[in-house]
Amino acid sequence: MTLEIIIFIAAILLGIVIYWRESQGNKIYRFFNKLMNSKELQMKPTDKKGFVFKQNFILRLVYISVFFLVGILITQFLMPIGIAAVSLFVSMIVGTLIGTYIAGAIFKSSEIIEEQTESIEEKFEEVIEKGKDFIEDFQTKEVEEVKLPKEKSKEETKSARERLKDKGLL
């Protein structure tokens, strides 16, 4: 079980590395594309698609499975010990798929952040200006609204006894 977890985490990291490498350049995919397709069906020079980069789920699963199958066959040929069990094979494939999707999410979020950085700065400056205006308006309204009530002089106020007399209670 521990070996499977270690292989699973390593496969996630491998998936991230594979996705990142293919986002930088897809020379191996272009080579196989030129080898297998006619001149009319070959990729355009501006196309960035790779084995896992900008590929749909099914083809990504097939390419990763073939990659690990070839790796396991080479390992079995070099060391005839049964280390390539089915559960390890599945852990490697699933981990690599998850790693490619994690890398895709990271790339997508970094692109969005780069696009929105300038607009966020502008919005932040607008919010600061609005906040300053709000504080200024609040301070001027507060000064206008808050007027100290005039204290009545002692001559104008009646004592409690006089008020009770006025009401007829004394």
Side-chain angles (χ1 to χ4, degrees):
M1 183 70 174
T2 306
L3 182 63
E4 287 181 9
I5 293 172
I6 293 170
I7 288 176
F8 183 72
I9 292 170
I12 289 174
L13 295 175
L14 178 68
I16 292 171
V17 169
I18 288 172
Y19 192 89
W20 177 75
R21 287 292 300 150
E22 280 203 348
S23 70
Q24 302 299 317
N26 56 356
K27 293 178 184 175
I28 297 172
Y29 189 77
R30 285 186 183 282
F31 171 74
F32 281 110
N33 189 293
K34 285 183 182 178
L35 186 68
M36 298 195 178
N37 292 327
S38 65
K39 194 72 167 176
E40 300 86 31
L41 296 176
Q42 288 179 3
M43 295 172 61
K44 296 177 179 119
T46 58
D47 196 5
K48 294 261 186 192
K49 187 182 278 190
F51 287 109
V52 293
F53 185 70
K54 293 189 176 180
Q55 199 66 263
N56 61 13
F57 174 75
I58 298 296
L59 287 175
R60 199 178 280 196
L61 177 67
V62 168
Y63 290 138
I64 290 173
S65 299
V66 168
F67 173 72
F68 280 114
L69 187 60
V70 169
I72 288 173
L73 289 175
I74 291 171
T75 304
Q76 286 288 2
F77 180 70
L78 294 176
M79 296 181 287
I81 302 171
I83 49 175
V86 173
S87 63
L88 296 178
F89 181 66
V90 171
S91 292
M92 289 185 288
I93 291 172
V94 171
T96 306
L97 278 172
I98 290 172
T100 59
Y101 282 103
I102 289 172
I106 291 170
F107 277 104
K108 191 67 172 173
S109 64
S110 65
E111 288 175 7
I112 291 172
I113 289 171
E114 287 175 7
E115 290 174 2
Q116 298 294 329
T117 300
E118 293 176 7
S119 65
I120 289 174
E121 290 173 357
E122 292 171 2
K123 289 178 184 176
F124 186 68
E125 289 174 2
E126 288 177 14
V127 168
I128 289 174
E129 291 299 320
K130 287 180 182 178
K132 288 179 182 177
D133 294 340
F134 177 73
I135 290 172
E136 289 173 4
D137 290 344
F138 186 71
Q139 288 174 346
T140 57
K141 285 182 183 177
E142 189 175 279
V143 170
E144 292 172 1
E145 291 176 4
V146 177
K147 294 180 181 175
L148 296 174
K150 295 180 182 177
E151 292 184 21
K152 296 181 180 179
S153 64
K154 289 191 175 187
E155 298 170 0
E156 293 177 13
T157 58
K158 294 181 180 179
S159 67
R161 183 178 295 268
E162 291 174 353
R163 286 183 297 203
L164 286 173
K165 281 183 184 179
D166 290 342
K167 290 182 182 178
L169 298 173
L170 275 180

